[in-house]
Amino acid sequence: MANVYFKKVDSSTSLDEIRSISKELLDIVIKKENINLEKEIPLKVHFGEPGNITFIKPENYDGIIDYLEEKGIKTSFIETNVLYGGQRFKKELHLKTARRHGFTRVPVIIADGDHGELYDDIEINKKHFQKCKLGKEFSNYSQLIVIAHFKGHMLAGFGGAIKQLAMGHASKGGKLAMHMGIKPKINNRKCIKCGLCLKSCAEDAITIGEKSFIDHEKCVGCGACLAVCPSKAVTIMTLKGVSRFISGGSDFREKVVEYAYAAQKGKNNIYINYTMNITSGCDCIGKKMKILMDDIGIYVSTDPVAIDKACYDAVKEAGKKFRGSNTFNYAEEIGLGSAEYTLKDI
Ligand code: SF4
Ligand code: SF4
């Protein structure tokens, strides 16, 4: 059983209030959970793909940075390159995106090199992976504050701390390993030939025409085409030949959990989830998305499973059930954390 500290926010909560709530919650979790702080603690964040307007803006994190600075702790924003195209595909573009989105208060570290090529193998010996490829820079730190925007996710069902640990820490090869086995195809009856998937595919794997198709020799299974298709014409086909609409699948989720396990291994992390601007897709989607419900709150914990489960339950209580609840079972099974939690409403 893990403790999850929570404070409610809603659309009337001001930015100043969010800053001070973040700071207060961080102070509470550190004191109540007796956390020893390192001299340098990066903030694992997501810079948001250009075009996305619902990612959590960096001004919200000012209270966290103030807290660390007051304690004389050095900090930075840390992130990895994404697998597919867009403006976070390589370090140079990624740094530009970070600046453009206002992540300028502390230095930015891209943890996996210029193109996602730098990684360390972290041994875990689990069902899907013996070793996981994580951005090399993460090995320099024994503690991170892992900040996640809790919302839906095309493949995983939901995205929060677990996903921020897994996909957010993996080098390009690691991301590819998690996606392997997921190959989309195009349902020509639904395709309106808008070409959005074509533009999103960094592998040049898509042909749009009278009969649109995806070349599975080229496709790396990144899911970008799924994310952008406005008519749900892109469907997932696993290599086992099972075709189903955007459902992710337990293998993918188990792989994500194993990567999260690797990313947390040997670390004394703190997790903060902003359950605000709740959308059905993730911040990698470079377009405006509909907000599904009012903001819920800010959550802090030392357990990535407990914090995600608390957010998942709160979203469900508010009327929206995300897919991916089997993630929690496997996360508990391999010892990533506890899906049982005590919610401490501050
Ligand atoms: S076809 Fe879709 S899943 Fe495959 S590489 Fe291109 S964008 Fe990614
Ligand atoms: S994004 Fe969807 S509808 Fe548009 S061309 Fe691609 S498959 Fe067809």
Side-chain angles (χ1 to χ4, degrees):
M1 179 86 81
N3 292 324
V4 178
Y5 303 87
F6 159 77
K7 195 143 182 170
K8 176 152 184 49
V9 304
D10 56 35
S11 45
S12 69
T13 313
S14 71
L15 180 58
D16 274 350
E17 285 168 325
I18 287 175
R19 288 173 175 146
S20 72
I21 291 169
S22 306
K23 189 176 183 184
E24 182 192 1
L25 284 169
L26 181 59
D27 186 49
I28 287 170
V29 74
I30 287 166
K31 286 182 177 148
K32 298 271 187 202
E33 304 294 323
N34 298 315
I35 300 170
N36 289 321
L37 297 176
E38 298 293 335
K39 290 193 175 71
E40 185 166 357
I41 310 175
L43 307 180
K44 173 67 189 75
V45 293
H46 188 304
F47 300 131
E49 186 64 25
N52 181 294
I53 58 166
T54 39
F55 71 94
I56 304 297
K57 310 294 178 296
E59 304 81 60
N60 291 282
Y61 309 148
D62 280 350
I64 298 168
I65 298 172
D66 289 345
Y67 184 90
L68 296 175
E69 284 181 353
E70 282 162 23
K71 298 232 169 300
I73 294 167
K74 198 173 160 195
T75 190
S76 51
F77 295 123
I78 192 164
E79 189 35 321
T80 53
N81 293 303
V82 297
L83 184 58
Y84 47 83
Q87 298 300 306
R88 296 170 306 122
F89 181 62
K90 55 182 183 176
K91 185 175 177 178
E92 187 195 340
L93 288 175
H94 212 157
L95 290 174
K96 265 191 202 161
T97 299
R99 273 197 302 276
R100 180 172 160 191
H101 283 176
F103 288 82
T104 51
R105 185 166 163 191
V106 294
V108 171
I109 299 169
I110 301 298
D112 58 347
D114 288 344
H115 298 95
E117 74 285 6
L118 297 183
Y119 65 88
D120 278 330
D121 268 327
I122 308 296
E123 194 168 344
I124 59 165
N125 298 317
K126 299 293 179 196
K127 183 162 89 181
H128 300 284
F129 300 113
Q130 300 299 302
K131 290 175 180 171
C132 294
K133 295 177 172 59
L134 302 186
K136 202 168 184 57
E137 290 282 338
F138 290 111
S139 302
N140 296 334
Y141 308 100
S142 56
Q143 188 171 48
L144 289 105
I145 296 180
V146 178
I147 301 175
H149 175 202
F150 191 87
K151 69 241 160 296
H153 184 268
M154 282 297 187
L155 298 175
F158 64 90
I162 296 172
K163 183 122 187 322
Q164 188 53 303
L165 276 173
M167 218 48 91
H169 279 58
S171 66
K172 213 162 268 191
K175 289 183 173 86
L176 186 59
M178 279 182 271
H179 284 100
M180 283 290 278
I182 294 175
K183 303 276 176 171
K185 65 172 190 171
I186 295 175
N187 179 337
N188 275 281
R189 275 178 313 191
K190 291 196 162 189
C191 176
I192 55 168
K193 311 204 187 305
C194 65
L196 285 176
C197 58
L198 201 71
K199 284 187 202 146
S200 75
C201 181
E203 308 304 320
D204 202 16
I206 301 177
T207 301
I208 299 296
E210 203 167 320
K211 204 153 188 250
S212 304
F213 66 94
I214 292 171
D215 181 346
H216 286 172
E217 294 295 316
K218 292 182 177 172
C219 172
V220 297
C222 70
C225 53
L226 278 171
V228 298
C229 178
S231 56
K232 292 196 168 63
V234 184
T235 68
I236 293 172
M237 183 178 74
T238 67
L239 288 182
K240 288 175 192 154
V242 182
S243 174
R244 58 198 190 271
F245 283 102
I246 307 165
S247 62
S250 60
D251 265 16
F252 174 72
R253 292 184 194 128
E254 286 182 2
K255 288 174 183 172
V256 166
V257 167
E258 290 190 7
Y259 258 76
Y261 181 92
Q264 187 181 235
K265 190 179 170 190
K267 306 258 196 268
N268 185 20
N269 287 348
I270 298 169
Y271 299 93
I272 306 182
N273 279 8
Y274 287 77
T275 307
M276 296 157 47
N277 288 356
I278 304 159
T279 52
S280 58
C282 73
D283 298 339
C284 296
I285 299 174
K287 65 175 187 180
K288 191 175 169 188
M289 280 180 287
K290 190 174 148 214
I291 293 178
L292 301 173
M293 60 184 70
D294 200 3
D295 294 344
I296 293 179
I298 301 171
Y299 296 73
V300 182
S301 183
T302 55
D303 187 317
V305 182
I307 194 171
D308 275 4
K309 184 65 166 51
C311 296
Y312 183 92
D313 290 345
V315 168
K316 192 171 162 192
E317 205 169 295
K320 172 79 192 163
K321 190 169 184 273
F322 286 138
R323 289 174 294 104
S325 61
N326 54 347
T327 301
F328 299 117
N329 306 335
Y330 192 60
E332 279 200 313
E333 190 186 318
I334 69 165
L336 176 62
S338 165
E340 299 284 317
Y341 62 89
T342 305
L343 192 65
K344 309 263 186 188
D345 198 344
I346 304 301

